[in-house]
Amino acid sequence: MDARLANTWRLTLNEKNFIKTALLSEIRIDGRKPFEFRNISINFGREDGSAEVQLGQTRVMGIVTAKFVQPYRDRPNEGTLTIYPEFSPMADPSFEAGRSGESAFELGQIIDRGLRESRAVDTESLCIVAGKLVWAIRIDILILDNGGNLVDAANIAALAALMTFRTPECSLGGEDGQEVIIHPPEMRDPLPLILHHLPIAITFGFFIDENVVVIDPIHNEEAVMAGRMIATVNANGDICAIQKAGEGVSQRVIMQCLQLAITKAADITKQIKAAVEAYNSERALQKIKRETTCVGNSVKGDQNQTLDNKGISELVGKYMERLKLISVESYASKILMLRKSNH
């Protein structure tokens, strides 16, 4: 069952008319202004590549995993990126368990188009052995609570999970130099994915023949809107993708929405980067604490050493710089190996 259709059935005729009449006066039932986003909260799991996003009453979780696969023949030097949305009846009674409906397919397609066509993820850096072995990145999108505008929340969850995901560092060895060696995280730090930019999905709802436009519609507004447009843009002002459904909209209105989408995307990008930076700092701090604990346990008597807050902060900074350096060096070495293999 389509989620929007289910919301329509839950609303009475009086409720629909009330929402439309209020929108004509630029009043929304949740108290927001027409172009005001709901509060965004981003939390991360204990493992890398897991993020939960709350957009008002909408909650979505993104989980990133990876495995080795053979590359496609037409792209032997590139890894793959796949998105799997999952709609649970716990999030909305209209969702059917174990069955991906039209809404799930559309959500996955919109996020996939924004990431893939804009080449936000550097798929060439996912190559291990050209033509033989690459990383296949999988993004699972879990809908935890449907409060409306699932696309924007799921898109943020996918980006936050991608930014915190790390793959084990790999190298080639063996007698023929083609044996893949996977280094455990205890020996070498895992490498973060390379993202060139963050494509942010911004949803607009149109009401009463495009005379009324709102951003980030809730589920009750989705039930009565006449049309919808999802603009995927980045903070640089690049338009990555556009998805339009429902009644026609004039070019003037579309251009106004795109300008607003670019502004909102810049704000959301800052929020995502700030949340990821806080997560990386906490992750580095926990790693240093574990290492200093191991060192402290190996020292006897008066040789015990402790770190104050300033010392820990300095170590965290050095660790973050080292992680960035390792990532750049590994990427450069992979590109060099790819060029040699092509020749």
Side-chain angles (χ1 to χ4, degrees):
M1 183 188 303
D2 187 80
R4 183 183 169 188
L5 180 60
N7 289 335
T8 304
W9 288 352
R10 287 200 294 263
L11 291 179
T12 65
L13 181 60
N14 288 336
E15 288 173 330
K16 297 176 187 177
N17 291 333
F18 175 80
I19 294 174
K20 293 179 180 179
T21 303
L23 287 172
L24 287 174
S25 302
E26 296 188 354
I27 300 175
R28 304 176 70 173
I29 58 177
D30 59 357
R32 287 183 294 154
K33 297 179 181 179
F35 299 127
E36 183 180 352
F37 241 87
R38 289 173 289 176
N39 292 330
I40 300 174
S41 173
I42 305 175
N43 298 302
F44 298 97
R46 298 181 62 182
E47 301 295 331
D48 293 337
S50 174
E52 180 182 336
V53 171
Q54 183 165 353
L55 179 62
Q57 294 183 351
T58 300
R59 290 194 306 126
V60 180
M61 176 174 287
I63 301 175
V64 178
T65 53
K67 66 178 180 180
F68 285 137
V69 298
Q70 288 185 343
Y72 295 116
R73 292 184 178 180
D74 57 337
R75 294 184 176 181
N77 300 331
E78 297 184 19
T80 62
L81 179 69
T82 314
I83 298 174
Y84 293 90
E86 181 178 340
F87 284 34
S88 169
M90 297 292 291
D92 193 313
S94 65
F95 300 153
E96 297 183 24
R99 180 180 177 183
S100 297
E102 180 182 347
S103 298
F105 176 78
E106 183 184 28
L107 183 144
Q109 190 179 45
I110 292 172
I111 298 177
D112 180 82
R113 185 184 300 121
L115 286 169
R116 192 186 305 274
E117 294 189 2
S118 67
R119 301 190 69 84
V121 179
D122 191 337
T123 53
E124 291 187 0
S125 65
L126 301 175
C127 180
I128 305 301
V129 181
K132 295 182 180 180
L133 206 62
V134 297
W135 284 110
I137 305 298
R138 171 181 174 135
I139 308 175
D140 286 283
I141 304 294
L142 310 179
I143 308 301
L144 305 178
D145 198 355
N146 180 20
N149 194 13
L150 292 175
V151 173
D152 292 11
N155 183 79
I156 296 174
L159 292 175
L162 282 171
M163 293 183 70
T164 57
F165 181 71
R166 290 167 172 80
T167 57
E169 184 174 352
C170 301
S171 60
L172 298 179
E175 296 180 356
D176 57 353
Q178 294 297 309
E179 179 182 348
V180 178
I181 302 174
I182 303 176
H183 301 281
E186 295 80 11
M187 302 297 295
R188 296 189 184 181
D189 291 322
L191 303 177
L193 300 178
I194 298 177
L195 274 70
H196 297 300
H197 62 93
L198 300 182
I200 307 295
I202 306 294
T203 299
F204 296 89
F206 304 106
F207 303 83
I208 316 172
D209 298 330
E210 80 174 36
N211 291 326
V212 178
V213 183
V214 302
I215 199 171
D216 180 27
I218 61 175
H219 62 289
N220 285 343
E221 292 173 336
E222 288 177 339
V224 298
M225 63 187 185
R228 181 185 69 173
M229 185 182 78
I230 302 173
T232 304
V233 299
N234 61 25
N236 301 324
D238 302 321
I239 300 174
C240 305
I242 296 179
Q243 177 88 1
K244 176 70 176 63
E247 298 183 359
V249 181
S250 65
Q251 181 179 357
R252 175 184 60 82
V253 174
I254 291 178
M255 294 304 297
Q256 290 176 350
C257 290
L258 290 177
Q259 291 295 330
L260 181 60
I262 293 173
T263 302
K264 296 295 183 181
D267 295 337
I268 295 176
T269 298
K270 291 180 182 178
Q271 289 183 262
I272 297 175
K273 289 184 176 181
V276 171
E277 184 177 355
Y279 169 81
N280 288 336
S281 298
E282 179 64 23
R283 181 180 183 273
L285 180 61
Q286 294 298 328
K287 179 179 177 61
I288 292 175
K289 285 183 177 180
R290 288 195 300 268
E291 292 178 351
T292 53
T293 300
C294 295
V295 172
N297 291 335
S298 64
V299 179
K300 298 180 181 179
D302 296 337
Q303 294 180 346
N304 289 334
Q305 297 180 359
T306 60
L307 290 175
D308 56 10
N309 292 332
K310 182 179 179 181
I312 292 178
S313 299
E314 292 177 353
L315 284 177
V316 170
K318 293 180 180 179
Y319 174 79
M320 296 297 292
E321 292 297 328
R322 178 169 169 262
L323 183 61
K324 293 178 182 178
L325 181 62
I326 292 175
S327 177
V328 172
E329 290 178 347
S330 177
Y331 175 68
S333 63
K334 285 182 180 180
I335 295 299
L336 183 60
M337 286 191 294
L338 289 176
R339 291 177 179 175
K340 290 183 178 179
S341 61
N342 289 336
H343 292 297

